[in-house]
Each structure stands twice: as structure tokens, then as C-alpha cells.
Amino acid sequence: MITPTPRTQFRRPENALAYHNIASGVYRMPFGAIRCGEKVVLRVFAAEPLAASRVYLRIWADDAECFFPMHKCGMLWECAYTAPAAPQIVWYRFEIHTPSGIIYCQPGKSALSGTDSKNRNDYQSFQLTVYDPAFSVPDWAADGIMYQIFPDRFYRSRETAIGPHTHRLHQNWDEQMDYLPDPVKGYYAADDFFGGNLKGIEEKLPYLAELGVTVLYLNPIFRAYSNHRYDTGSYEEIDPLLGSESDLRSLCSHAAEFGIRVICDGVFSHTGSDSLYFNREGTYSTCGAYNSPESPYASWYRFQRFPDEYDCWWDVWSLPEVEETDPSYLDYITGESGIVQKWLKAGISGWRLDVADELPDEFLDRLRSRVKTTDPNALVLGEVWEDASNKVSYNALRRFLLGGQLDSVMNYPLRKMVIGLLSGKTNAKAFATELTELASNYPPQVFFACMNFLSTHDVCRITTTFGKPYDVADVPRARQADIRLSKDERTRAIAMHKAASLLVYSLPGMPCIYYGDEAAVEGGTDPFNRAPFPWDRRDEQSLALTEWYRDLGALRRRYPALRSGTMQVWEENGLLCIRRESDGVRLLTIVNPTDAELPLPVPVASPILCSANSNEGCIAAKSSMIVLC
């Protein structure tokens, strides 16, 4: 659970006419999201000079607007509100009647007078997430440490023959990836391979176990044209370069012996044009949608003019979009004996859904139902880059986290917060405020199961991000190929990397290592963030960082407070402080995001469990530590 941060952190702004704070138990209790039918007490401060005669709680719920009179209690006005019976996002603000007119208390402002908007307008309302009381998330997610693998680049088993392929296979594991546009296709085709495979992953299970890994997330492993395999050719078979279905079953079985589960990437918003379903390239013997309007797959795709004009993902012609709610497609993916069930029965423990915010509600409803019917303890993890509780797509407020669709999401907001904090773009107080808001918006079981990461296959490597004073993502791809950190840049970047990883491991959620981050692998955007793992060329800094991650894994296993304990977060003298507590054990994580050495806010005698860089009684700049207090 999340507990309100100490009241001293939430003093009202001076000269505030009206004030409400979602993070303080003084103004909202209980904290955060609530279950359907649960009661929450809401309070608002109205300054004496306002001479308020009446105060109303203005609520938008069940597609209706309601006003509830509030009662004066000292300098506060309060109202007990009972959440609706149906899961939804409830929006509220306060209407304060004064002799001079109406004052509105809403987010981001202590008070606002004048003309009020006639609708909920998210930016002018506080959010209250109301979720299904039956909503549960597998416990192993909150307890877990995840490791994300881009299969072609992790490890190539020397005991397994390279499967059939038609594209370029690098002979040297340490070669530069291809990155220039294909002269025929007109874009980077991602059709060069290094030959990483499932048997290679299986051989590295002892290494992963040493890191404390309990969950493997594999980028797409199904047959496809490209090395990233987001252009699915067949959902029914493992890509031959990676191995076979028996190889996947073997990986899942042997991973379980190490206490590790495997989840797979589900790419269900589009297929490849080079697929048995579309078959534009004629690779398959099937009659694909591109080949004939009479194809059994024709209804899966949307053609403006057959056959060359069709809806495709982000205007990439080799990624034709599917009609996810087409009955035939829906049954093929989510039906009994469909793709989702097939691979769960083969041994995987869940699905990560690519571009989940581009999947319609009906599809997500059906997919979750099939997953939980097949294995109630399987995970449904969605890719959403924003706050998933109030995400708007398809011109509608989505219901990802209310209990009927996703178990959890990739925590891109946290990554942005961590980088902003340690890069000096924001400060500890702002971080605490943003994190608390996210924790308030997410149901607690979701927040404690979020995939918390510093890098993925879609963003720059964290070491490169911290090493350069500019945003590498803004650099053209051809120039990114030559970007390397200098010795000083790399040393500073790794120090910041350690501070950031300690912070991530201290928070509720499932810490995730993107393969190679623990070895300080550098890289910009795609494809430079997908370099082969440098097994045979790790330097002392890389090995030391790997050992750091082993220590973090051991620390998280040793202290349940870091996995399931209560959380409080606040700023103190420029430092970010996070307190986790469980069964009487209290841990305090301290992060110094500044460029100056700062005194510790705890007694020097407090045992230091883990420290990125600290001196006696002080914490170094751009550093972090955990103490037992």
C-alpha cells in the first residue's frame, strides 16, 4: 500500500485562498484509487478572508454531474463520498461560494475565480480512480525482477545449428548493426541478423539467476521477416532462426527450475506484409488478403483500393494494420485454442501487449478473459507510454487499469522522472509530487506490479542517455552510429546509472533490466539500442556494474519491504527520500540529484545497506544509497 507522506511535507502555500492535496491524508482519505462502493473523505481548505457561506463537491461520475454539500470542520470543509458501483474514473473539484462570487479549487492552482468550465475538463479536475473490487494481479509480478531480451542479440548457442534464413547473418558477433535505409524499401529494413536464439537464452539462465531475475520478457519470437520480429509472419510458429516450439517449451521448463517465468511479446495491432495472412511478397503458399478479396484473411485488413492501398501501422507499408474486432481475427487470437491460449499452454506465463493503447476495448476484454481462463496466474502487461489510468485514445478515456483489461503497464512515466531528476531537468520535490500522483491514480495492485525500467528496445540506452549533454534521440541515425562516450563521460554516466538503478529497485513495482544495461552497453535509438551483448569484451567498469546489479537483486530478495512494503516519498533539503516499511523493518532510500555533496538526513550510525557513492555523514552528488533506519 501507499501511505500519505508526512504532513510536514504538505504545508499549504502561503496566501492560498483554497487548497486540496491528493497526497495528504488531511485532504483525502484513504489515499489513492478506491474500490467500487468504497467511501472516501474529501476535504478542502477555504481561507478565512473568503468568508465562504457554502462549499460544494462537484463530481463527474456515471456520465453525470452531481453537487454534494460539504460541512465546515474548523478551517476545512469536508464531505464523505461513496464511489460508484461501476469501475470508472471519477473527476471532482470544489466550488466555494463567497460574498464576492464563486471560487473554484482545482489542480495546479490554489484557487480560481471567474467563469467555470461546464464539463469535467481533466486539467481542471482532481482524479479519483474507482476499480473493480475483484481486480487482482499475480503476486509474482510485485515480487519479481524482470530482464528484457531482444532475442537476436542476447546469446547464440554454439550447440545449436543456425536455422534457415534468407537475410544477412553477421559472422562477427561484435560487428556494427545495419542502419542505413534499404534502397528498395526506402527505409531501414532491419533484415540483418546475429543469430541469438532460445537455446542461447537457456544456457544463460544461471547468469540471469545470479542477477536475481525472476521474469524474462522476450521481444517477439514468432516467425517474421525482420530481426525485431514486430512484423509477424506467423503467430503459430517460432522463428526458425530462434529455434522451435520445443525449444521454447524447454526454455520455460528450465527457467522454472531457477524460479524464472517467461512472458512473450504479443503484436496484435498489425502483421507483416510478408505473412501468411497478407502475403504481399508471395513468400507463403496461402492466399493472403493482398492476393485476393476472397482470401480467408481479407476481413482482417482495411483496403481503400485493393490491393495496394490499405491501412498500415504508422504509414509503414510492410506493417498492414488488422481489424482487431473482426470476428475471425478475434477468434484466431483470443478464442478457445487460439494464439493466446496456445502459447500459454506451451509454458509462457503471460503476454506483454505491444501498443496496447492502439488495441480496442473489445479486443482487450476478450484477451484478458482468455488469459485468465487459461491461467489465472498469468500476467497481462501493456505498453502505454503515458499515465495509463487516464490515457485517451480512439477519442475515448480508456479503462486499461479498472480491472477488466491489463494487469499492469510499462512505466514510461517513471523512466522520464528518473532521467529528469538525475539530469537536473527537475528536482526532488517535483519528482515526489509526480510519483505520488501516479501512485494515487493507479490501483495499488497495478502500481506494485509496474514494469519499472531505465532502457528498452524503443529508447536510448540509459548509459548513453546519462553520458551525453544532449538528447541522442534528436541526432540523425547516420550520426548516431558514431556516437561513443569518452572515458570521463562513461565514468560519470555509470555513476548516474548506479544511482538511477538503486532508485528503481527501491520503488514499488517490478524492476526491469534491459539486456546489456547491467554491462553498461551504450547505444542511441533503434537499432543502436539493440547491439549484441558483449560477453567477451566487458571491461572492469562493465563487470563492476554487473556486480552492482547482483547486489541490488540480493538486497531486494532479502528485504520484503522493497517488494511489498508501504511507501512514503518526499523531498528534504534537496534530497529525494523514499521510505519503505514492512513487518517493522524500515528502509530509507536517499537520492542526491544535485551537483553538490549534501549532509545525510539520518544519523551517521544508521547501517548503510547499499551505496552508489557516499562519504561519512554525506552523500555525493548524483548518488544514492539505502539505509536501515
Side-chain angles (χ1 to χ4, degrees):
M1 64 177 290
I2 312 295
T3 59
T5 298
R7 294 184 182 182
T8 55
Q9 299 298 315
F10 294 110
R11 296 187 180 93
R12 289 191 303 274
E14 291 185 16
N15 302 319
L17 294 176
Y19 185 70
H20 174 75
N21 194 308
I22 63 170
S24 170
V26 173
Y27 296 96
R28 180 160 140 180
M29 184 60 72
F31 173 85
I34 60 176
R35 296 178 290 272
C36 294
E38 189 175 357
K39 187 173 291 186
V40 59
V41 175
L42 300 170
R43 299 186 181 94
V44 64
F45 166 76
E48 197 68 33
L50 290 178
S53 57
R54 300 186 307 279
V55 178
Y56 292 95
L57 171 65
R58 189 177 184 179
I59 291 278
W60 284 265
D62 292 325
D63 295 321
E65 178 186 17
C66 296
F67 290 83
F68 296 89
M70 303 187 74
H71 308 285
K72 197 170 192 311
C73 299
M75 299 187 71
L76 301 177
W77 294 73
E78 77 170 36
C79 177
Y81 172 71
T82 301
Q88 60 189 278
I89 300 296
V90 170
W91 302 96
Y92 68 93
R93 57 181 179 261
F94 304 96
E95 187 175 285
I96 303 169
H97 291 247
T98 77
S100 302
I102 297 176
I103 294 290
Y104 304 101
C105 184
Q106 56 196 39
K109 299 178 184 293
S110 58
L112 178 71
S113 59
T115 304
D116 182 33
S117 66
K118 300 302 180 184
N119 54 51
R120 61 178 174 81
N121 192 327
D122 304 356
Y123 297 104
Q124 296 183 9
S125 301
F126 297 99
Q127 176 179 330
L128 179 64
T129 302
V130 180
Y131 62 92
D132 187 339
F135 181 24
S136 64
V137 174
D139 291 338
W140 56 264
D143 281 341
I145 295 175
M146 179 182 276
Y147 193 89
Q148 180 189 347
I149 291 178
F150 193 83
D152 185 59
R153 309 291 164 80
F154 183 61
Y155 186 66
R156 182 169 65 202
S157 171
R158 293 176 173 82
E159 298 180 5
T160 304
I162 298 296
H165 61 90
T166 58
H167 306 305
R168 188 166 85 87
L169 183 66
H170 292 269
Q171 297 305 309
N172 183 346
W173 185 256
D174 298 323
E175 287 178 7
Q176 171 71 278
M177 301 81 65
D178 290 353
Y179 61 90
L180 296 175
D182 182 283
V184 176
K185 294 180 179 293
Y187 59 86
Y188 164 61
D191 55 4
D192 62 318
F193 293 81
F194 284 82
N197 52 28
L198 297 181
K199 279 299 181 184
I201 298 173
E202 186 175 323
E203 290 177 17
K204 291 297 183 181
L205 286 173
Y207 166 80
L208 297 171
E210 288 176 359
L211 291 172
V213 171
T214 61
V215 184
L216 280 183
Y217 154 40
L218 305 182
N219 285 119
I221 59 173
F222 306 117
R223 183 168 181 171
Y225 171 85
S226 72
N227 57 46
H228 55 70
R229 299 185 174 95
Y230 282 95
D231 52 341
T232 310
S234 172
Y235 293 106
E236 298 179 19
E237 60 178 312
I238 304 299
D239 192 291
L241 261 176
L242 290 176
S244 63
E245 181 173 333
S246 63
D247 289 332
L248 176 64
R249 289 177 178 271
S250 177
L251 171 61
C252 292
S253 176
H254 283 90
E257 296 174 4
F258 288 91
I260 298 174
R261 299 171 185 267
V262 177
I263 68 171
C264 286
D265 227 325
V267 186
F268 301 129
S269 71
H270 54 273
T271 68
S273 62
D274 191 2
S275 66
L276 65 88
Y277 319 105
F278 201 75
N279 207 16
R280 175 171 177 156
E281 288 77 2
T283 302
Y284 297 82
S285 60
T286 54
C287 179
Y290 184 85
N291 308 132
S292 169
E294 304 305 317
S295 166
Y297 309 109
S299 62
W300 292 17
Y301 301 92
R302 297 182 293 272
F303 288 89
Q304 281 73 53
R305 179 183 297 174
F306 182 84
D308 292 318
E309 293 184 16
Y310 48 86
D311 288 356
C312 46
W313 188 79
W314 287 62
D315 297 325
V316 178
W317 64 262
S318 61
L319 299 176
E321 286 189 334
V322 297
E323 184 65 69
E324 297 96 338
T325 57
D326 173 78
S328 171
Y329 181 77
L330 199 57
D331 186 64
Y332 179 77
I333 299 296
T334 69
E336 189 171 357
S337 302
I339 295 302
V340 165
Q341 179 168 287
K342 169 183 170 68
W343 296 109
L344 286 170
K345 288 189 172 182
I348 71 170
S349 296
W351 290 93
R352 178 265 189 186
L353 300 182
D354 184 55
V355 291
D357 54 353
E358 298 182 24
L359 298 172
D361 284 333
E362 180 183 353
F363 181 86
L364 290 173
D365 293 341
R366 286 278 296 272
L367 184 140
R368 180 184 176 82
S369 177
R370 178 57 58 195
V371 167
K372 299 301 180 179
T373 299
T374 306
D375 180 2
N377 207 31
L379 186 72
V380 182
L381 173 72
E383 178 194 14
V384 182
W385 286 52
E386 302 83 9
D387 181 332
S389 70
N390 52 41
K391 169 71 177 181
V392 174
S393 61
Y394 291 100
N395 297 315
L397 181 65
R398 304 302 299 272
R399 48 185 174 84
F400 297 136
L401 307 184
L402 300 182
Q405 295 187 344
L406 305 177
D407 286 323
S408 189
V409 289
M410 300 177 72
N411 203 343
Y412 273 100
L414 176 63
R415 175 183 184 268
K416 183 179 179 180
M417 285 183 240
V418 172
I419 292 173
L421 177 70
L422 288 166
S423 298
K425 297 175 182 177
T426 184
N427 55 39
K429 185 174 183 179
F431 183 99
T433 299
E434 289 183 57
L435 181 65
T436 302
E437 182 177 351
L438 194 69
S440 174
N441 290 347
Y442 284 19
Q445 59 270 48
V446 173
F447 189 71
F448 275 76
C450 277
M451 175 183 165
N452 295 342
F453 55 87
L454 296 173
S455 307
T456 72
H457 63 291
D458 282 327
V459 293
C460 295
R461 290 276 186 177
I462 192 62
T463 298
T464 296
T465 297
F466 282 143
K468 290 297 182 183
Y470 54 85
D471 190 343
V472 174
D474 293 336
V475 177
R477 179 179 278 151
R479 286 179 52 203
Q480 285 190 39
D482 298 322
I483 291 178
R484 303 287 187 277
L485 301 185
S486 68
K487 182 178 179 180
D488 288 345
E489 287 175 333
R490 187 169 169 82
T491 297
R492 175 177 168 82
I494 290 176
M496 294 171 68
H497 184 161
K498 291 174 69 175
S501 56
L502 177 57
L503 172 55
V504 168
Y505 272 69
S506 299
L507 292 171
M510 184 166 40
C512 179
I513 307 168
Y514 181 47
Y515 83 101
D517 267 7
E518 79 278 17
V521 170
E522 300 175 24
T525 55
D526 167 24
F528 307 110
N529 51 11
R530 305 171 183 183
F533 193 106
W535 295 106
D536 299 325
R537 51 183 179 86
R538 288 174 286 175
D539 58 17
E540 289 186 9
Q541 283 183 313
S542 299
L543 293 170
L545 185 60
T546 302
E547 188 61 34
W548 168 261
Y549 270 97
R550 289 193 185 101
D551 291 344
L552 290 181
L555 193 68
R556 194 163 171 104
R557 286 195 306 272
R558 180 181 177 186
Y559 291 100
L562 293 176
R563 305 192 304 271
S564 58
T566 59
M567 181 192 81
Q568 293 180 320
V569 55
W570 70 95
E571 176 272 338
E572 188 167 334
N573 299 327
L575 299 172
L576 176 68
C577 299
I578 300 168
R579 180 182 295 138
R580 305 294 306 277
E581 185 171 359
S582 176
D583 297 327
V585 176
R586 179 180 293 180
L587 306 178
L588 180 64
T589 296
I590 306 162
V591 182
N592 179 4
T594 74
D595 289 316
E597 185 177 83
L598 295 176
L600 292 175
V602 293
V604 177
S606 297
I608 298 175
L609 302 178
C610 189
S611 175
N613 190 3
S614 63
N615 300 315
E616 185 175 347
C618 294
I619 181 168
K622 306 295 185 184
S623 187
S624 60
M625 63 192 302
I626 297 180
V627 299
L628 187 65
C629 58

